[in-house]
Amino acid sequence: MEKKDAENYILAGKITKKTVEKAKKAIKPGQKLLEIALSIEKNIETLGEGKAKLAFPVNLSINENAAHFTPASDCKDILKESDVLKVDLGGHIDGFICDTAFTLNFDNKHSKMIEAAELALEEGLKIAADKAELGKIGEAIENTITSKGFKSIQNLSGHGLGQYEQHSSPSIPNIATSNPSQLEEGHAYAIEPFATDGEGYVREGSQSEIFSLDKPKPVRNMHARKLLEVIASEYGELPFALRWVEAKLKMPEFQQKIALRELMRANCIRAYPVLHEEPGKTVAQAEKSFILFDGKTTVLC
Ligand code: CO
């Protein structure tokens, strides 16, 4: 990592932090999820004075949904007081990403679960600063969550952050493992524990609103080709929301569906289905990004 890259990470962190602070004040029960998402996504760009771009669609996963839900353009869902809302967002500058998440619950019935995830994040960050082994970071996270009476979700993990790469290696486990690899100086990472009263394991649901470019190759269908062009030029390999492309494409909905199916079939793009715990259970998440640079740990946001 060059000094300039570190500065970009830090600036992306400052902008993301401002966005988080604003979102924490603005989000209230009764609001539409779509409005919440659009406002956060706009804030990353405006609070960053045009310097920052969205690293991925804002994830607004509720209750048993742990990750990868973003409202579609016709989503009518309204945030309820009893909902446990995970807000996972990220901004980037020249591809240097700050990925961060927090959890809100307005009737405070799940405060303990939220605290468990937040505390696990703090514990993970503490030992990550000493360039701990990956398995030990997982152990600290799992022990913290277990000691609060919840389960740590075993198949969701923290990750490295590469330039224009939201999830690069290594993956940072949320449970104890025997992985002896260590975090390295000159790299960026995100730690993201999930606490739950469910089984501690997420499964893919049927709905996908988030996609990313996978292996671009020539496709025959004209609409699929157009869609691929828009994706490659606007988002590169970063994740995007279907509602973003809809706005840019101005293609009738049925043609867009065919185009999308064609790109999926050709493995040009990949989907990120909503990841959920057992129905009726609840998930809380906390996440921060940091860089190890110049001999010290700098938490971005
Ligand atoms: Co992340």
Side-chain angles (χ1 to χ4, degrees):
M1 185 185 301
E2 308 277 322
K3 189 159 183 280
K4 181 82 191 101
D5 305 343
E7 285 166 1
N8 280 333
Y9 272 121
I10 290 166
L11 184 56
K14 281 187 181 149
I15 294 162
T16 309
K17 193 170 197 166
K18 275 194 211 167
T19 309
V20 166
E21 281 162 6
K22 207 165 172 172
K24 280 182 176 169
K25 281 188 205 142
I27 298 174
K28 295 276 181 298
Q31 292 169 340
K32 277 190 189 156
L33 293 187
L34 183 61
E35 279 166 29
I36 297 173
L38 294 176
S39 140
I40 292 173
E41 289 176 356
K42 198 176 108 212
N43 283 341
I44 289 183
E45 285 172 357
T46 53
L47 295 171
E49 293 158 9
K51 277 181 248 161
K53 285 190 173 157
L54 281 160
F56 53 90
V58 172
N59 287 213
L60 297 177
S61 310
I62 285 181
N63 303 337
E64 72 249 38
N65 288 336
H68 297 170
F69 177 85
T70 198
S73 54
D74 59 354
C75 177
K76 304 270 190 294
D77 296 357
I78 285 173
L79 181 67
K80 294 194 289 290
E81 209 171 82
S82 58
D83 284 338
V84 173
L85 171 70
K86 277 77 61 188
V87 182
D88 192 336
L89 67 140
H92 77 84
I93 299 205
D94 285 338
F96 297 101
I97 300 168
C98 174
D99 178 1
T100 193
F102 58 95
T103 302
L104 296 174
N105 167 231
F106 289 91
D107 70 4
N108 294 320
K109 293 226 168 89
H110 297 279
S111 326
K112 288 212 170 92
M113 191 187 289
I114 298 172
E115 279 163 27
E118 287 172 351
L119 197 61
L121 171 61
E122 292 313 314
E123 292 301 315
L125 286 172
K126 231 185 267 170
I127 63 165
D130 300 328
K131 303 197 180 63
E133 293 176 6
L134 296 179
K136 297 283 179 215
I137 299 177
E139 186 179 293
I141 289 172
E142 184 178 22
N143 286 347
T144 308
I145 292 176
T146 310
S147 75
K148 297 288 170 191
F150 300 100
K151 277 189 185 156
S152 179
I153 296 184
Q154 54 175 290
N155 58 337
L156 288 173
S157 52
H159 48 90
L161 290 162
Q163 193 180 12
Y164 289 106
E165 209 185 344
Q166 190 204 348
H167 288 163
S168 74
S169 63
S171 88
I172 305 175
N174 283 331
I175 52 164
T177 72
S178 54
N179 191 336
S181 326
Q182 289 169 293
L183 301 183
E184 289 170 43
E185 170 75 12
H187 288 264
Y189 301 95
I191 291 187
E192 52 179 320
F194 292 79
T196 184
D197 54 1
E199 62 178 324
Y201 190 88
V202 289
R203 292 183 167 79
E204 292 187 348
S206 52
Q207 189 190 2
S208 300
E209 289 296 330
I210 302 176
F211 296 82
S212 75
L213 197 60
D214 196 3
K215 298 178 194 77
K217 55 167 106 67
V219 279
R220 265 213 219 147
N221 178 288
M222 188 179 81
H223 300 294
R225 214 156 51 223
K226 174 92 193 296
L227 177 58
L228 189 59
E229 265 169 36
V230 169
I231 293 167
S233 68
E234 295 286 331
Y235 318 114
E237 287 175 18
L238 287 174
F240 61 89
L242 272 190
R243 61 184 155 79
W244 293 0
V245 228
E246 274 167 24
K248 298 230 182 282
L249 266 182
K250 297 179 186 78
M251 194 185 277
E253 204 187 322
F254 75 98
Q255 277 174 355
Q256 192 185 289
K257 275 198 178 133
I258 294 169
L260 191 75
R261 216 178 301 148
E262 177 86 15
L263 294 185
M264 285 287 291
R265 196 163 37 211
N267 294 322
C268 288
I269 58 170
R270 56 162 295 192
Y272 296 85
V274 173
L275 298 172
H276 64 89
E277 253 289 347
E278 295 174 278
K281 299 295 183 181
T282 303
V283 178
Q285 175 199 17
E287 177 175 20
K288 279 183 181 163
S289 295
F290 59 98
I291 53 171
L292 300 179
F293 184 72
D294 216 7
K296 57 178 192 287
T297 308
T298 307
V299 175
L300 304 174
C301 171

